[in-house]
Amino acid sequence: MNSPDHINPEQLLSILFQSPNATAVYTGSDIKILSANSAMLKFWGKDRSVIGKNFTDAIPELIDQPFPDILREVWNSGITYYAKNYPATLEIDGELQESYFDFEYKAILNEKGKTEFILHTAFEVSERMAAQKLVLEKSVSEQKLNEELSAINEEYTATNEELSSTNEELMTAENSLIKLIAELHDKEKRFRFMIEQSPVAMASLKGENLIVDIVNDIVLNIWGKDRSVVGMTLPEALPELKGQPFLGILKKVYKTGKPFYGNELKVSLSHNGNLTDRYLNFVYHRTNVDGAEEHSILIVANDVTEQVLARKNVDEINTRLEIALDASSLGSTEVHLATGVMKSNDQFKRNFGFEPEEEFVYADLFEAMFPEYREKVKALVKESIRTNGIYKAEYPIKWRDGSTHWIQAHGRPRYDENGKGDRMVGMTLDITDKKLFEQQKDDFLSIASHELKTPITVVKACLQFLYRIKDQPFSDTHIRIRQILQKRPLRKRVFRIGIRSIYMQSDY
C-alpha cells in the first residue's frame, strides 16, 4: 500500500489516470470528481467535461440509484465500501443500459483521520454474470441428466442381478457416460455452445490469419454464407471485404489486444452474388489464454440496417417537409405544454416578428396576441386536447416594433404513453395582406352601396314622370330626361369595374 509520506496526491492521480483499470478520485461531501481515467469515463458513457463536477451533476442517471448515498456514507464515516456483481444503469450513447460491476470506494484519510479523498476502482463483470447464468442453467441440465443417469443405473443394477454375465459391458457403458459428462464441463465446449446458441450474431476467429473457427446462424445470415466457411481464413470466406477497413481493424485488434467498437458502420457483403450494403453495431475483442501463443478474436454484432435506413428516410421526409413549408411561407412548431419550450422553424418565428436565431417560447406567442383573443385561443387548445381534434384560429398580433399583423393558426395535440396531452403541433400563416384586402373590400362595398342608391332613385323618378307625359308631344322635357338617363349608366359601369376588380383580386 502506498504511504502518503512517499507519494503526493498529484502523483497518485497521474499514476491512476494511466491505469488500464477504471479509476476515479472524488473529494468533498458533495463528491466532486477530481479525476477519472479513460476506462472509467467509458463505463460512465461520458467525456472529460465531467471532471470538476459533482458526481450527481456529471452522471444524473445515478441520482435515484444507491451510489451517491454510498459515497456520502464513505466520506462521512471514512470506512471503505466494496461490492461485487453490483448492477448499475448508465446512459451510453443516449440509451440507458444495465451493466454489472465489482467496485470499491476506498476512503483516503488525512493525518487527522478525516476523509480527504475517495478512490473509486471498478471492473465490469457483465460477461461474468452472463456466464454464471449460463453455468446455472447448465447445472440444472446436468442435474437432470444425473437424475436420468441415476435411474439408468438403477435399471442396470436390477439387470445385473439377472444378467451378471453382462456386468463388464454395463461398467464400460457407465464409464463412457461419466467421460461424456466430464467433456461437457470442458471450457472450450461451453464457449462454443455459448456462441452457437447466442441470440445475437457471434463468431470466433482463430490465430493471426483470422481462421473462421466458430460461427452461429445469425452471423452466417449477415455474411450471406453457410457453414462451409468454417476453417477458411476470413479473407477467403468473405473476399468482398478487400478494400474495406474491417480486415485491417481485426489485425490491429489481434496485435494490440485493444477492443474495437463499431457503431452503425456500413459494410458491403455478397448475398447470392450481389453486393448488399448493411449497417452494423459490433465489437472485436481479443480473447487471451494464459500461456498460449495463439489468440482468438470474438466478434459480436447486431444488424441495424433497418433502423439506419428508417432514420435516413425520416431525415429525407423532414427535409422535404421543410422545403414545402418554406415554399408556402408556413410556420411550424411543436410546443411542450408543461415547459413552454417550442421547437419552431424560421418562418414561424418570422410570423411573430422574431429573427430565426432568437429564442421564442410559448409565453411569447400569447404576449404578442391581442389581449381579447388570448383566453379564446387557450380555450380552443384545451378543447382540441380534450377531443383530440384540430383547433383553428385567426387572431391579430402586435410585433415588437408596434406594427399589427394577423395570424391564421392550425394545431393538433400529441399525447404521452399515459394518454395525457403533453405537446401541441401547429402551423401558422401570416394573413395580414388578406385581412387588409378584406377591409378595403368592405369599405369599397359600403361606399358603392351608398353611391348606387342615388342614381337608382333618380331613374325611377324619371320613368314615373315619362309615364305621366307619355301621351304628350315630344318636348324639351323629354330631351332633358333622356340626357339624365344616359349619364347614369356610365356611373354604374364605373362601380361595376371596381367590383369586378375586387373579386379578381380575392381569387388569389
Side-chain angles (χ1 to χ4, degrees):
M1 179 181 296
N2 291 325
S3 168
D5 295 332
H6 295 88
I7 184 169
N8 59 45
E10 291 76 9
Q11 292 173 322
L12 178 60
L13 290 176
S14 177
I15 292 170
L16 293 177
F17 184 77
Q18 300 298 325
S19 171
N21 299 324
T23 308
V25 178
Y26 315 120
T27 188
S29 59
D30 55 356
I31 315 300
K32 180 179 180 181
I33 301 172
L34 286 183
S35 178
N37 66 4
S38 298
M40 184 64 77
L41 292 174
K42 183 177 180 181
F43 283 170
W44 291 343
K46 304 293 185 290
D47 56 29
R48 300 202 62 80
S49 63
V50 302
I51 304 302
K53 294 184 179 180
N54 296 339
F55 186 76
T56 51
D57 293 337
I59 319 171
E61 63 267 27
L62 295 181
I63 290 176
D64 295 327
Q65 300 182 53
F67 306 102
D69 291 337
I70 296 173
L71 281 167
R72 283 189 284 269
E73 178 62 23
V74 171
W75 178 264
N76 293 328
S77 67
I79 299 174
T80 295
Y81 181 88
Y82 179 75
K84 293 187 66 175
N85 302 332
Y86 208 97
T89 301
L90 293 163
E91 185 176 331
I92 308 298
D93 295 331
E95 296 184 0
L96 290 177
Q97 300 180 10
E98 184 179 63
S99 303
Y100 291 84
F101 298 91
D102 290 351
F103 70 91
E104 181 183 56
Y105 293 152
K106 184 173 183 62
I108 308 299
L109 308 181
N110 59 22
E111 63 275 6
K112 295 180 180 180
K114 297 294 184 179
T115 306
E116 188 166 359
F117 304 100
I118 296 176
L119 175 61
H120 177 192
T121 55
F123 302 90
E124 184 174 359
V125 295
S126 300
E127 292 185 0
R128 183 176 74 193
M129 292 296 292
Q132 288 177 356
K133 182 179 179 182
L134 182 61
V135 169
L136 179 61
E137 293 174 352
K138 290 299 298 177
S139 296
V140 172
S141 299
E142 291 169 6
Q143 182 178 355
K144 183 178 180 181
L145 181 59
N146 286 332
E147 291 174 355
E148 293 175 354
L149 289 173
S150 178
I152 293 173
N153 284 332
E154 290 179 2
E155 292 180 4
Y156 284 165
T157 301
T159 304
N160 281 339
E161 294 175 356
E162 298 177 1
L163 304 169
S164 57
S165 61
T166 60
N167 183 61
E168 184 177 351
E169 295 178 0
L170 290 174
M171 291 297 293
T172 302
E174 184 176 354
N175 290 335
S176 298
L177 288 173
I178 294 173
K179 183 179 179 181
L180 178 61
I181 293 172
E183 291 176 350
L184 290 175
H185 291 283
D186 184 83
K187 183 177 180 180
E188 183 180 355
K189 292 287 186 182
R190 289 180 180 178
F191 182 65
R192 186 177 298 273
F193 180 82
M194 180 186 71
I195 291 180
E196 293 179 347
Q197 300 302 318
S198 171
V200 298
M202 294 185 70
S204 178
L205 307 178
K206 184 171 62 177
E208 189 174 3
N209 292 326
L210 306 176
I211 297 173
V212 180
D213 185 30
I214 309 172
V215 292
N216 65 6
D217 292 337
I218 302 176
V219 79
L220 288 174
N221 181 59
I222 292 175
W223 289 353
K225 302 296 184 289
D226 55 32
R227 292 193 173 273
S228 64
V229 300
V230 175
M232 297 181 182
T233 65
L234 192 64
E236 293 172 342
L238 303 173
E240 62 269 25
L241 292 182
K242 184 178 180 181
Q244 300 185 60
F246 304 99
L247 294 176
I249 295 172
L250 283 164
K251 289 185 178 295
K252 184 176 180 180
V253 170
Y254 188 89
K255 182 179 180 180
T256 64
K258 183 179 180 180
F260 179 85
Y261 299 88
N263 182 41
E264 295 185 358
L265 291 187
K266 184 173 75 171
V267 57
S268 297
L269 295 167
S270 178
H271 283 243
N272 299 322
N274 298 316
L275 280 179
T276 302
D277 290 338
R278 294 202 173 199
Y279 294 87
L280 304 176
N281 291 340
F282 63 90
V283 58
Y284 295 154
H285 192 283
R286 192 180 79 178
T287 57
N288 303 319
V289 179
D290 293 339
E293 295 182 358
E294 189 175 62
H295 304 292
S296 295
I297 294 181
L298 179 64
I299 299 175
V300 182
N302 186 26
D303 189 341
V304 292
T305 303
E306 291 185 1
Q307 297 92 309
V308 172
L309 294 180
R311 187 177 67 248
K312 289 185 176 182
N313 287 336
V314 169
D315 292 342
E316 176 65 20
I317 291 172
N318 288 336
T319 300
R320 293 180 181 180
L321 178 60
E322 284 294 329
I323 294 173
L325 291 175
D326 289 343
S328 58
S329 297
L330 286 172
S332 68
T333 188
E334 180 177 7
V335 56
H336 192 281
L337 297 174
T339 63
V341 174
M342 301 181 76
K343 296 180 180 178
S344 309
N345 69 353
D346 295 347
Q347 185 60 47
F348 187 92
K349 293 182 180 180
R350 292 191 189 101
N351 288 346
F352 287 84
F354 281 70
E355 294 300 323
E357 65 275 7
E358 291 185 277
E359 183 181 12
F360 186 82
V361 297
Y362 203 37
D364 294 328
L365 184 148
F366 286 99
E367 181 65 24
M369 194 181 301
F370 277 29
E372 60 268 27
Y373 286 82
R374 292 170 186 169
E375 293 304 320
K376 177 182 177 182
V377 172
K378 289 179 180 179
L380 289 173
V381 171
K382 289 181 180 179
E383 180 65 14
S384 70
I385 294 173
R386 187 183 69 82
T387 62
N388 191 18
I390 297 175
Y391 91 86
K392 300 178 181 179
E394 291 185 359
Y395 49 82
I397 62 172
K398 180 172 287 187
W399 283 12
R400 291 172 295 179
D401 61 6
S403 60
T404 298
H405 300 260
W406 276 83
I407 294 295
Q408 183 181 78
H410 298 74
R412 187 158 194 168
R414 292 292 180 264
Y415 301 84
D416 60 18
E417 62 275 8
N418 298 318
K420 181 180 178 182
D422 63 341
R423 290 163 294 139
M424 181 67 71
V425 177
M427 303 185 75
T428 61
L429 179 66
D430 188 330
I431 58 169
T432 305
D433 291 343
K434 177 183 175 183
K435 284 292 183 179
L436 181 60
F437 173 75
E438 288 177 351
Q439 182 62 46
Q440 292 173 342
K441 181 177 69 175
D442 292 342
D443 293 344
F444 177 82
L445 291 177
S446 176
I447 295 171
S449 175
H450 174 76
E451 292 295 329
L452 286 173
K453 285 180 181 179
T454 300
I456 290 174
T457 302
V458 174
V459 169
K460 286 182 177 180
C462 290
L463 289 175
Q464 291 173 357
F465 185 75
L466 283 174
Y467 182 78
R468 285 198 301 269
I469 64 173
K470 66 180 186 296
D471 297 327
Q472 298 179 11
F474 192 79
S475 64
D476 293 341
T477 301
H478 290 83
I479 294 172
R480 285 198 302 274
I481 290 175
R482 186 177 65 182
Q483 290 174 344
I484 292 172
L485 291 178
Q486 286 176 340
K487 292 179 180 178
R488 295 304 174 182
L490 177 61
R491 192 173 185 182
K492 287 190 286 185
R493 281 198 300 273
V494 171
F495 281 109
R496 282 199 297 270
I497 293 171
I499 293 172
R500 189 181 304 115
S501 170
I502 289 174
Y503 283 102
M504 287 177 64
Q505 293 182 52
S506 66
D507 287 339
Y508 80 93

